[in-house]
Amino acid sequence: MIIKNAETILSVQNLVASIDDTQILKGFDITVKAGEIHAIMGPNGSGKSTFSKVLAGHPSYTVDNGTLEFKGQSLMDLEPNERAKLGIFLGFQYPVEVPGVTNGSFLRLAYNTVQGARGKDELDPLEFDDFIQSKLTLLGMDASFLERSLNEGFSGGEKKRNEILQMSILEPTLAILDETDSGLDIDALRVVANGVNTLHGENDAVVLVTHYQRLLNYIEPDFIHVVDGGRVIKTGDKSLAHELESRGYEWVLEENRSRAA
Amino acid sequence: MSTAIDNIVNQPYTAGFHTEIETDSVARGLSEDVIRTISSKKNEPEWLLEFRLKAYQHWLTMTEPKWPNVTYPKIDFQDIIYYSAPKSKVTKKSMDEVDPELLKTFEKLGIPMNERAALAGVAVDVVFDSVSVTTTYKEKLAEYGIIFCSFSEAVRDHPDLIKRYLGSVVPYTDNFYSALNSAVFTDGSFCYIPKGVKCPMDLSTYFRINTQDSGQFERTLIVAEEGSQVCYLEGCTAPQFDTNQLHAAVVELIALDDADIKYSTVQNWYAGDENGVGGIFNFVTKRGLCKGKNSKISWTQVETGSAVTWKYPSCILLGDNSVGEFYSVALTNHMQQADTGTKMFHIGKNTRSRIISKGISAGKSNNSYRGLVKVSPKAEGARNYSQCDSMLIGDLCGANTFPYIEVANKSAMVEHEASTSKIGEEQLFYFLSRGIDSEEAVSMIINGFVRDVFMHLPMEFAVEATKLLGLKLEGSVG
Ligand SMILES: Nc1ncnc2c1ncn2[C@@H]1O[C@H](COP(=O)(O)OP(=O)(O)OP(=O)(O)O)[C@@H](O)[C@H]1O
Ligand SMILES: [Mg+2]
């Protein structure tokens, strides 16, 4: 929802970032306000995941230029865990598997760490069990997922659900979900979308990275950004997604090229 | 991020201090005279002196093994003190009589043993340098007919048992270090569980190397009679020194029909500094004989210390239906080198063995698993399962797996799985992006990695071992 005079959650201006001396983001701009849902679309390799990871503070990337602010505070010098404690959440495109670490203990540690940073009480294992039960139900996940090793042997769709489960307990102010819809079957997509809609409110914001209009039928975006070559080349409302779906990217890229020329 | 990992794993050794206790040592070097001196200082019977001298003569004909995947400066066996004992050698009945300096040492290590013994119901036979200082719960164990005492006491009080079993699993001819140990061993533990007795408590020994330059040559012998059960814990830690110390222990286990021995070790000897200066050389021979049918021997080890480790707790599965198990976590950091693993000899029918090995390498260390599974022609229906996983922390360390499989019976089934993984930036970043700091992340990932082994440790020990891994891996993460 677009709210008048809403607080700016994320402000990114002219962000330039590189990995292994290769510049990937080349002047990325985006402004996200409280209550809003943004979708980022764009061809493969255009820099969508890179932007997500730079935002979360991935150590492999260096920021060469530009500003990256969360609620008016620069994120540049903050470690990824400090950003998480501020309320930034990255739903991974490819969540890693961690053998031997149970999902439940990982979730509880993450929850307690982030809660602690907010000055709230930690939950002991029993309290946490009660707490997480409702979240599992919301996402249609079986409690046995808590006993399993973190993401190990999870199907693609289960991994994505597990990301949203984490989002649901961490209650971020800014969630950036990198292709959370890829690999989900129709039912799972509906469940995940429903989860995101339930969690989203007027004090937080969601950025969806997606290739498919399909997701946007369930989660209605306020803005759609098209990324190419490491920058946002077009921004529109949700009708843009339909247009992209039917016409592809080429016309946007062409429009951009002729503008540049 | 990689500096964060470095900081985490480069935690200095916390058990590094030296206790001032007067010691009574013999001159450096090894000769027949030194062996005679050791034997007479310990008031040993003639047959034991003969055993030592035969071992010594044999040792003189042997050379150090070169096959392990480790390198270290040449050891000058004439520059080692082969015997040193705390001055007061009178056996203590209560903790009050124990040298307060010694008690302080244990407290610094976080092992307040008086409390510990009482709280945990564990009988602690403490080997401090070479002579047992105190033994607790002895009376309680005596009610069950269980013998748990220092090796010296056993030689004095139970000579027939020692005569019968000493060297029966690890003969002095076995290898260079077992020969050396047989010649010069100073003390250790003896444990005897009579027929049908289930030992009512875990038996625990804390080894401690204290006197600088004193070679340590412990001898442990555990005999489990028919249908008996025992769970034995061995733990050790040592103060920080600059010169290398040689440790060459021999452990022999014998399980008769239906007997069950579970032997757990947590080892944290001084590993040397970041540049590999100092640290213990740990060349140990541990072997169990499943002599009786349906017997079982299970080794669980957590190896975190020593500059060089060379250790292969093994099982000889002689009795039909006998079972051998080996669960191991070996952590190396800095310049540490470990070549460790197990040997499973299947001789009896339907014998089974299981090997779970987890190697963790950090710094510039090198960690090798070396395992032999041998199935003899008569071992009808033998089964083995081996799983060897390595985890690397950083780019400068190494991990190797050397599985040797020799099968001479067609009905045998031998399975081997191996994996190598890395605590990569992606795993760490995943944890960090959920608010968790790198220290906690690394410790959680490591604890997850070793879980399959730690679940075989007795509860108390598992807690301690988890703490130890944490200590080794936590640090000043900025
Ligand atoms: N280490 C690296 N060195 C050089 N280029 C890299 C490196 N890592 C990633 N890239 C490149 O960065 C570009 C952007 O990748 P990114 O993962 O952000 O794309 P994306 O928009 O998320 O694509 P997709 O839709 O396929 O997920 C790609 O061209 C990729 O090959
Ligand atoms: Mg991507």
Side-chain angles (χ1 to χ4, degrees), chain A residues 37-208:
Chain A
I37 295 178
H38 291 236
I40 293 181
M41 304 182 82
N44 293 132
S46 56
K48 303 181 297 295
S49 293
T50 303
F51 169 68
S52 314
K53 285 190 264 185
V54 169
L55 175 57
H58 195 292
S60 298
Y61 297 89
T62 50
V63 173
D64 307 317
N65 209 344
T67 58
L68 182 57
E69 286 177 1
F70 177 77
K71 289 185 164 183
Q73 178 187 0
S74 173
L75 294 176
M76 292 303 185
D77 295 327
L78 295 185
E79 292 293 322
N81 58 321
E82 292 166 319
R83 300 184 192 196
K85 288 189 218 170
L86 287 180
I88 295 175
F89 178 88
L90 167 60
F92 284 79
Q93 183 174 5
Y94 304 111
V96 293
E97 303 194 357
V98 189
V101 174
T102 60
N103 203 21
S105 58
F106 173 75
L107 292 171
R108 192 165 72 86
L109 181 59
Y111 174 81
N112 282 336
T113 308
V114 171
Q115 283 297 100
R118 291 173 185 159
K120 293 192 184 148
D121 284 345
E122 299 189 353
L123 297 184
D124 68 31
L126 287 177
E127 293 167 334
F128 185 75
D129 263 6
D130 288 343
F131 164 75
I132 199 154
Q133 206 51 56
S134 61
K135 310 287 182 183
L136 286 167
T137 311
L138 175 70
L139 294 165
M141 289 175 78
D142 194 273
S144 65
F145 273 104
L146 301 177
E147 304 306 317
R148 291 175 59 180
S149 285
L150 180 53
N151 293 328
E152 194 189 29
F154 285 25
S155 74
E158 288 167 349
K159 282 182 184 164
K160 297 298 175 68
R161 272 192 213 218
N162 206 39
E163 293 294 292
I164 301 302
L165 178 65
Q166 293 173 46
M167 173 185 163
S168 75
I169 63 166
L170 297 180
E171 298 174 346
T173 306
L174 174 66
I176 176 156
L177 306 178
D178 191 359
E179 294 200 30
T180 300
D181 55 330
S182 301
L184 290 183
D185 63 44
I186 295 289
D187 293 337
L189 183 68
R190 209 173 282 141
V191 169
V192 163
N194 179 44
V196 172
N197 286 329
T198 311
L199 298 165
H200 175 55
E202 57 187 38
N203 296 317
D204 62 88
V206 178
V207 177
L208 305 166

Side-chain angles (χ1 to χ4, degrees), chain B residues 131-327:
Chain B
V131 168
S132 295
V133 180
T134 186
T135 304
T136 50
Y137 283 88
K138 224 176 202 171
E139 280 97 21
K140 170 102 173 130
L141 293 173
E143 279 173 33
Y144 289 82
I146 294 168
I147 304 166
F148 179 43
C149 62
S150 74
F151 207 88
S152 314
E153 286 173 289
V155 167
R156 193 188 61 211
D157 302 337
H158 311 283
D160 293 345
L161 285 171
I162 300 294
K163 239 184 186 164
R164 182 156 161 208
Y165 290 111
L166 177 68
S168 70
V169 186
V170 181
Y172 62 76
T173 50
D174 189 80
N175 68 70
F176 184 83
Y177 292 106
S178 69
L180 180 64
N181 175 290
S182 300
V184 302
F185 72 87
T186 41
D187 215 330
S189 301
F190 174 67
C191 173
Y192 177 84
I193 317 292
K195 190 169 165 175
V197 170
K198 187 169 180 289
C199 188
M201 62 188 87
D202 295 349
L203 303 180
S204 168
T205 303
Y206 276 88
F207 292 91
R208 182 107 170 93
I209 299 178
N210 190 261
T211 300
Q212 192 156 6
D213 285 335
S214 79
Q216 285 282 307
F217 304 94
E218 280 102 354
R219 192 91 199 182
T220 302
L221 177 59
I222 298 175
V223 180
E225 289 281 7
E226 241 180 271
S228 68
Q229 273 180 40
V230 63
C231 181
Y232 191 88
L233 317 180
E234 174 204 330
C236 35
T237 170
Q240 186 153 4
F241 289 130
D242 224 13
T243 50
N244 289 307
Q245 293 183 303
L246 174 64
H247 186 92
V250 170
V251 176
E252 296 178 279
L253 314 182
I254 295 125
L256 300 173
D257 286 0
D258 302 302
D260 187 334
I261 302 176
K262 199 167 155 47
Y263 192 107
S264 309
T265 309
V266 172
Q267 188 265 114
N268 180 26
W269 282 334
Y270 180 52
D273 67 13
E274 294 161 45
N275 302 311
V277 177
I280 306 291
F281 292 176
N282 190 20
F283 304 130
V284 188
T285 308
K286 287 184 165 176
R287 192 174 302 155
L289 174 62
C290 284
K291 195 171 183 182
K293 57 179 173 9
N294 306 319
S295 57
K296 179 176 174 187
I297 289 179
S298 179
W299 299 100
T300 305
Q301 62 171 25
V302 180
E303 298 284 320
T304 69
S306 301
V308 182
T309 301
W310 180 96
K311 182 180 173 190
Y312 316 91
S314 307
C315 297
I316 302 172
L317 305 171
L318 185 63
D320 290 348
N321 306 318
S322 60
V323 176
E325 292 175 338
F326 175 73
Y327 301 105

